[in-house]
Amino acid sequence: MTQLESQWIVGFVDGEGCFFIGLNKNPEMTLGIQVLPEFSVVQHKRDEQILYALKDFWKFGVVRKNHGDRLCYRVRGVEHLNKTIIPFFEKHSLKTKKKVDFLKFRKVLQLIESKKHLTVEGLLKIDSLRLEMNTDLRKSKKKLILIDGKLDLIDI
């Protein structure tokens, strides 16, 4: 197995990683909206050993098919994100504009940790941060709106 060093991981994630916040309608959630934070790295299947090396480095996450001939290393667990991924990138700072996305991602996780995602105001703040992230990658956007006291996701 390939052994990875922290600064190599920083450079790799600067180029190939993504800090993403998804919002989905889910009637089982308190306000009908589920917040889905995700850290991921995508590679062509010929380089899958790097994704497994990341999984081995952090001791969690999954490697799955992404689309076509690409694979993805993905971490979605809030505890893993808060206790390992966030502190790693706080200690080993990203160097590109991806750092801005990371800081917003971290703020969303702080809001989740403090249970603000269970309030209308907190969800609207999370959505505002989310819409400012990965702006060069987004093909279609949905925005959270409040209509007659009820939250909904609409296309923008």
Side-chain angles (χ1 to χ4, degrees), residues 71-83:
L71 298 173
C72 177
Y73 169 71
R74 182 174 61 222
V75 178
R76 289 183 172 165
V78 171
E79 187 171 334
H80 289 309
L81 292 167
N82 273 330
K83 293 192 174 174

Side-chain angles (χ1 to χ4, degrees), residues 120-121 124 143-153:
V120 169
E121 298 78 18
L124 291 170
K143 179 173 179 45
L144 196 58
I145 61 165
L146 185 61
I147 302 174
D148 297 327
K150 187 172 186 226
L151 290 167
D152 197 7
L153 284 169

Side-chain angles (χ1 to χ4, degrees), residues 39-50:
F39 166 67
S40 64
V41 179
V42 175
Q43 283 293 286
H44 188 276
K45 65 183 177 184
R46 72 177 169 259
D47 294 318
E48 73 179 300
Q49 78 280 0
I50 294 299

